[in-house]
Amino acid sequence: MRPALRPYLLIVPALLLTCGILYPFALGLYYTLFDFSASKPQPDMVRFENYRAVFTQEAFWNSAWVTVLYAVGAALAETVLGVAVALLLHRSTAVGRVLEKVLILPLMIAPVIAAIIWKLMLQPSVGVVNHLLRPFGLGGVQWTDTPTGALLSSIAVDVWVYTPFVAILALAGLRSLPASPFEAAAVDGAGWWYTFRRLTLPMLWPYVLVAVIFRFMDSLKVFDIIYALTEGGPGDATVVLQIRAYLEAIRFQRYSFGISYTIVLWAVVYLAAMVLVKHLGKIQRKAAEVTT
């Protein structure tokens, strides 16, 4: 092999992967310009009519609101709990070392399987959760049968599955922080809260924000957990944008209209990612100033 050709051969797998991603995306974008549906096998070009219909549909704004509530609630809860767990495990006690190994167990379960397990556990009459709460007078809770309960239950399952992911990233960040600033703070007599607020948290923020970016982006396009737990119910209480796209494209067989939902969701995720990544750069610069 000629050395001059080696760099070009190395990028072939990445190029093939890029083409495998962009081709379906471009094809889906092209289909949104037509009115493909099961009732119309010979579609006409409608240009941007599908997008106009999406943004003028009340169901879209309801799904967008539910998606934002879900993504913000899940990402916020996972960040707070993940950082708290990481701080506990960072103490390097014997219990912490054992819990560190157990922590990854939820990540080893497929989210849809975890949602099915929790769906059985949250059953009002035979579920183990109500059985455990019955001695406290809380045994009759309708966890997924009310709009608020269904949304909170879906967020809780997401938190149970993905909090270990945030904790692992935060723990890795804690263990990579330089020791000299903390030694200087200890010499000066700084307390735990002051050290955490002035040193630990500012230097840890870049790692935490990376976890937030991953989890917030993933929560915006959630499908498996909600569909397995509630199927979007009751009513439209948990119909996020991904499930709305599925309903339109697969159940109602309005293919182009359903794909338009996914394109709109992609644009939302892309814009949110751009904002968060830009903010990450600022956080990294501030963290570098603290270490120096």
Side-chain angles (χ1 to χ4, degrees):
M1 180 188 301
R2 294 181 179 179
L5 295 177
R6 188 174 301 169
Y8 299 99
L9 293 176
L10 290 176
I11 67 171
V12 169
L15 184 61
L16 293 176
L17 180 62
T18 302
C19 293
I21 294 173
L22 292 180
Y23 175 73
F25 176 79
L27 191 61
L29 193 62
Y30 174 73
Y31 285 158
T32 61
L33 303 178
F34 294 84
D35 56 352
F36 281 101
S37 66
S39 61
K40 196 167 186 180
Q42 300 297 327
D44 299 321
M45 177 174 280
V46 295
R47 298 183 184 276
F48 300 105
E49 182 63 26
N50 285 320
Y51 295 103
R52 187 198 66 79
V54 165
F55 287 112
T56 57
Q57 189 181 49
E58 184 179 352
F60 166 78
W61 296 107
N62 176 74
S63 296
W65 175 243
V66 173
T67 302
V68 170
L69 287 179
Y70 182 94
V72 172
L76 182 61
E78 289 161 12
T79 301
V80 173
L81 293 176
V83 172
V85 171
L87 289 171
L88 292 175
L89 296 180
H90 188 53
R91 296 177 178 271
S92 297
T93 62
V95 176
R97 286 191 291 270
V98 173
L99 291 178
E100 186 177 341
K101 307 299 185 294
V102 178
L103 187 65
I104 64 172
L105 289 179
L107 293 175
M108 300 171 64
I109 303 175
V112 65
I113 301 300
I116 292 174
I117 293 173
W118 276 98
K119 184 176 183 178
L120 297 174
M121 293 172 60
L122 293 174
Q123 286 292 324
S125 56
V126 298
V128 67
V129 174
N130 275 354
H131 177 72
L132 294 175
L133 293 177
R134 193 166 288 116
F136 304 97
L138 301 173
V141 179
Q142 304 291 323
W143 294 101
T144 59
D145 294 338
T146 63
T148 303
L151 183 59
L152 292 178
S153 298
S154 301
I155 293 175
V157 175
D158 196 297
V159 170
W160 182 82
V161 173
Y162 290 110
T163 293
F165 171 78
V166 180
I168 290 171
L169 284 182
L171 183 60
L174 285 170
R175 290 178 175 173
S176 67
L177 298 182
S180 54
F182 298 96
E183 294 172 353
V187 171
D188 292 338
W192 178 87
W193 174 245
Y194 181 88
T195 303
F196 173 75
R197 185 166 54 92
R198 294 293 186 178
L199 293 177
T200 306
L201 194 58
M203 289 190 288
L204 187 63
W205 260 120
Y207 301 93
V208 174
L209 191 55
V210 168
V212 170
I213 291 173
F214 276 105
R215 291 305 315 133
F216 186 67
M217 297 301 99
D218 202 34
S219 298
L220 282 176
K221 49 190 180 66
V222 65
F223 177 85
D224 44 9
I225 289 178
I226 290 182
Y227 191 78
L229 187 66
T230 66
E231 295 187 13
D236 290 344
T238 56
V239 178
V240 292
L241 288 174
Q242 279 278 52
I243 291 183
R244 179 67 64 186
Y246 164 80
L247 293 175
E248 295 290 348
I250 306 301
R251 187 168 296 181
F252 305 149
Q253 297 183 333
R254 301 167 63 186
Y255 309 125
S256 293
F257 192 60
I259 296 173
S260 300
Y261 263 95
T262 63
I263 297 299
V264 171
L265 178 59
W266 168 84
V268 171
V269 173
Y270 178 79
L271 292 174
M274 292 291 291
V275 172
L276 289 175
V277 169
K278 184 178 180 181
H279 189 61
L280 175 61
K282 297 179 181 179
I283 293 295
Q284 289 174 331
R285 288 190 291 272
K286 290 182 180 179
E289 294 174 358
V290 173
T291 56
T292 56

